[in-house]
Amino acid sequence: MTTSGPGFTMTGFLASIGHAVRPGGQRPLVVHDGELEEIPPGAVPNPTSLRIAGKLPTTTFELFRQVIPAGQSSDMQRHHHETVHFVLTGDGHSEIEDETVEWTTGSFVYTPPWTWHRHYNDSAEHPVEFLTIENSRLLGLFGLGRRQSAGLTSIAEARAGHREDQ
């Protein structure tokens, strides 16, 4: 089945969706913490570390473990997909467009599509760890995945630097 481009048809795409996703030899049903694939340092424009559960047989969503070091933050970014961060450990706050929200261990933090956002670790001593769930694979199937980073800037600076996309 073609997932995008000239050979793509909605009928073919919908016919490929079944009630069960069968794992293949390369797509197991369980991925252990030690098997998560680390995204190389420097591949993301912030001090967080990201490890992806890329071998799970998900077709519409992606799973990450993200760690924000003590006193640090993620980058200011936006993307076409929705994201939910489940806070495994730590306390902090997030700027999501014009709102600032506080969270703690056990909280779910929702980021709507195409909104500037940045997550902050409010502890000077302990890291924050998220389980990050995003529907980026689904959008990727349609060729709609897009992500922008403004680095370690404010929302106002991000908006000013990306006016053509407002």
Side-chain angles (χ1 to χ4, degrees):
M1 180 202 72
T2 303
T3 58
S4 65
F8 175 81
T9 66
M10 184 58 75
T11 303
F13 173 74
L14 293 174
S16 73
I17 299 174
H19 294 294
V21 176
R22 304 269 183 241
Q26 299 174 2
R27 305 288 273 175
L29 292 176
V30 175
V31 173
H32 301 281
D33 185 60
E35 299 171 315
L36 297 179
E37 302 164 39
E38 185 170 357
I39 296 176
V44 291
N46 65 61
T48 69
S49 68
L50 287 167
R51 295 183 305 135
I52 186 170
K55 293 180 181 173
L56 286 174
T58 61
T59 56
T60 61
F61 62 93
E62 199 74 78
L63 295 162
F64 299 88
R65 282 187 81 157
Q66 180 177 9
V67 176
I68 301 176
Q72 300 289 319
S73 73
S74 65
D75 60 320
M76 183 64 70
Q77 61 177 267
R78 64 182 177 177
H79 35 70
H80 283 172
H81 56 267
E82 294 177 287
T83 303
V84 173
H85 293 284
F86 176 70
V87 184
L88 296 167
T89 60
D91 300 295
H93 70 280
S94 297
E95 293 175 308
I96 304 171
E97 286 294 338
D98 295 321
E99 291 186 58
T100 300
V101 295
E102 295 182 12
W103 39 262
T104 188
T105 299
S107 299
F108 289 87
V109 181
Y110 174 70
T111 305
W114 210 240
T115 57
W116 286 112
H117 61 280
R118 187 171 174 185
H119 308 291
Y120 295 84
N121 180 347
D122 291 342
S123 173
E125 299 175 20
H126 305 287
V128 160
E129 187 169 7
F130 292 133
L131 169 65
T132 302
I133 306 157
E134 58 185 46
N135 66 341
S136 53
R137 284 192 179 182
L138 175 64
L139 295 181
L141 288 172
F142 292 107
L144 300 174
R146 184 170 180 205
R147 186 185 302 259
Q148 286 183 331
S149 173
L152 301 176
T153 65
S154 69
I155 286 178
E157 292 168 322
R159 286 178 179 151
H162 295 85
R163 288 201 185 282
E164 71 282 358
D165 297 318
Q166 298 296 327

